Amino acid sequence: MRAPFSYHLYVALSMLLLPFVARATTNKLRRAGVSVPRSHERLGHATKARRGGTLVWFHAASVGESLSVLALITRMGIALPQARFLITSGTATSAALVAQRMPPRTEHQFAPLDAPGPLKRFLRHWRPDAAIFVESELWPQMLRRTHAQGAAMALVNARLSERSVNSWAKRPKLARYLFEVFGLILTQNDAMANAMLRMHAPAGRVARGQNLKSFAGPLPTDDDTLFEARAALLNRPVWIAASTHPGEEEIVLAAHKKLLETIPDLHLILVPRHPERGNDVTQMITDTGLPFTRRTRGDAPSGAVYLADTLGELGNWFALGDIVFLGGSLRPIGGHNPFEVAQSGAMVLSGNHVFNFAETYAAMEEAGAARLVADSRDLAERVAGLLGDRDARKKAVQAAQSFAIAETGKLDTIAARLIKTLRLTP
């Protein structure tokens, strides 16, 4: 299929804007502590050698997407013992977290910008045999140039907003030109599979897959950190509020103050989604009058609240309690990954705004592994009920663990399907 005019226009604009976008992008990485050579990976300058043999490239956007494919890379690596893997993403946070959980024979690089120069340098160096794009990473030049180089391609965990779906549907020539590069498009659910067809994706290549975030595996923990935290808590009852966003910490803290009226030794571990908001959240806790300690000061859990404002330690905090409230859900943000909680041995509480994981939460609620709450009062009542009924809490935790185990059993099927479609051989 010939490239439509809109594609050529996009290429021209990318060349015109590249100097400005490159400067802004590399500066952002530098401010996050990324070295100069690594920040220049965004310009297509590799910092690792391309070793011989088959290379499978996974491209994801940020933290959630990057972590979601690690278990898939591991399973494919078992089936393809001679293959090597490359994972690219665009943020410093995703690079740091992927580095902690890197599968065997895998390298991470920052993704090249979607412009001719960076992509030519990137593809000339890495020469991927297969390329797997994750969720909504549909950069036009990246797709077409990778396809032109001969890589077999797939889109997995496909998920786009309704706005994006409508936008692509209005551009049928461009949509067909881009989606034809994929030999397989696996969506998160049936609704997204139907949406892909509305977006003019090839009908015979679209299929419902599975939400890859259900396969991410338990978050890493540190034995020394857990020992110190448990020693400090001295068997106090604990609940965790994780991945909270602006407007949610106030609700969580209000619920905790209510709970303290009947459970005076209850401890809350509060983990904001973005650790750089630590000072703001500190002020919120101070305003409540609750005594607290803070991870970035080197404190151990103590007082009524522990502010865990660091990156990459979420697994430690999940391991300290049976009840985890997940943020991004009391405000219309879409919710966060409940599988990480279930795999860590806890049950899930969440607000009602979980459209990013709607089918998952519905299934978990039906299984007794998750409960949705509406507001501060509802949250306090749910936590109090679970803390006051050991059998109910134990049953919910077991339901969460059983749900997670059942989901991970589907990963080998997806890995095998990708290996076959992408013509990869052991």
Side-chain angles (χ1 to χ4, degrees):
M1 179 179 178
R2 293 182 59 184
F5 173 76
S6 56
Y7 177 81
H8 291 298
L9 179 60
Y10 174 82
V11 173
L13 287 173
S14 74
M15 295 172 67
L16 180 65
L17 296 174
L18 178 60
F20 308 100
V21 176
R23 178 176 298 179
T25 303
T26 55
N27 284 345
K28 183 177 181 179
L29 289 176
R30 295 288 292 118
R31 289 194 298 271
V34 176
S35 67
V36 171
R38 288 227 60 191
S39 67
H40 284 185
E41 291 169 8
R42 293 288 268 160
L43 305 180
H45 298 290
T47 58
K48 297 286 181 69
R50 200 287 195 195
R51 302 187 188 184
T54 299
L55 179 71
V56 182
W57 170 29
F58 281 78
H59 176 59
S62 189
V63 176
E65 296 84 352
S66 299
L67 295 180
S68 73
V69 299
L70 296 182
L72 179 58
I73 291 174
T74 299
R75 294 297 180 92
M76 291 181 69
I78 293 171
L80 303 169
Q82 304 304 316
R84 305 195 68 85
F85 300 87
L86 173 70
I87 181 168
T88 58
S89 62
T91 66
T93 302
S94 63
L97 293 178
V98 165
Q100 296 176 3
R101 306 172 65 181
M102 195 78 77
R105 308 192 309 277
T106 303
E107 305 278 8
H108 175 272
Q109 296 276 277
F110 289 108
L113 295 172
D114 199 43
L119 285 167
K120 286 178 182 178
R121 285 188 287 269
F122 176 87
L123 292 169
R124 187 185 307 124
H125 177 84
W126 289 105
R127 307 184 313 279
D129 297 282
I132 300 172
F133 292 79
V134 184
E135 292 202 10
S136 57
E137 283 299 282
L138 301 172
W139 294 100
Q141 293 182 78
M142 187 179 290
L143 297 181
R144 291 304 312 192
R145 289 180 181 274
T146 302
H147 177 68
Q149 188 169 289
M153 298 170 65
L155 176 64
V156 299
N157 222 35
R159 179 180 67 85
L160 287 86
S161 68
E162 186 65 25
R163 181 178 178 180
S164 294
V165 171
N166 291 334
S167 178
W168 282 110
K170 294 175 182 176
R171 296 167 174 82
K173 291 183 179 179
L174 180 61
R176 292 190 187 98
Y177 183 64
L178 297 183
F179 289 124
E180 72 173 6
V181 305
F182 295 119
L184 178 65
I185 298 173
L186 293 177
T187 67
Q188 290 188 8
N189 51 46
D190 290 333
M192 193 66 240
N194 292 330
M196 293 301 303
L197 297 179
R198 283 174 50 206
M199 295 161 61
H200 311 284
R205 305 178 195 177
V206 177
R208 177 180 175 172
Q210 190 75 18
N211 191 331
L212 292 182
K213 291 177 181 177
S214 65
F215 306 133
L219 294 171
T221 59
D222 179 77
D223 290 340
D224 291 339
T225 299
L226 284 174
F227 178 82
E228 293 169 3
R230 286 170 175 150
L233 289 168
L234 293 174
N235 296 316
R236 292 174 59 184
V238 176
W239 71 293
I240 300 97
S243 296
T244 55
H245 289 252
E248 294 186 318
E249 287 90 4
E250 297 92 337
I251 297 172
V252 169
L253 290 168
H256 190 55
K257 287 194 74 171
K258 182 66 176 177
L259 287 161
L260 289 171
E261 295 175 6
T262 54
I263 315 173
D265 62 340
L266 181 63
H267 187 72
L268 166 66
I269 298 176
L270 180 57
V271 193
R273 178 70 172 182
H274 302 290
E276 62 270 20
R277 295 183 54 244
N279 289 337
D280 293 337
V281 180
T282 294
Q283 187 59 53
M284 294 178 204
I285 303 172
T286 301
D287 291 344
T288 68
L290 295 173
F292 71 97
T293 53
R294 185 175 177 182
R295 178 63 172 167
T296 51
R297 293 196 307 226
D299 300 336
S302 184
V305 181
Y306 185 53
L307 176 58
D309 54 342
T310 53
L311 183 67
E313 295 193 296
L314 195 54
N316 294 324
W317 318 133
F318 284 172
L320 292 175
D322 293 333
I323 305 168
V324 175
F325 168 77
L326 274 182
S329 58
L330 290 169
R331 294 288 182 265
I333 296 168
H336 291 301
N337 184 4
F339 296 109
E340 292 177 340
V341 179
Q343 291 164 337
S344 297
M347 66 87 59
V348 183
L349 295 177
S350 173
N352 292 314
H353 298 284
V354 291
F355 49 82
N356 287 338
F357 294 91
E359 292 186 352
T360 301
Y361 273 101
M364 291 185 76
E365 275 200 290
E366 184 177 352
R371 294 287 183 270
L372 300 187
V373 299
D375 51 28
S376 178
R377 179 180 177 180
D378 198 7
L379 177 58
E381 290 177 353
R382 285 289 189 185
V383 174
L386 289 163
L387 290 172
D389 189 337
R390 182 178 179 181
D391 289 341
R393 188 170 74 252
K394 182 178 179 180
K395 184 177 180 180
V397 169
Q398 289 175 338
Q401 292 174 322
S402 297
F403 184 86
I405 290 170
E407 292 299 301
T408 55
K410 303 173 184 176
L411 185 56
D412 285 331
T413 300
I414 294 176
R417 187 169 188 175
L418 284 169
I419 289 170
K420 180 180 179 180
T421 299
L422 299 175
R423 304 184 300 276
L424 299 169
T425 56

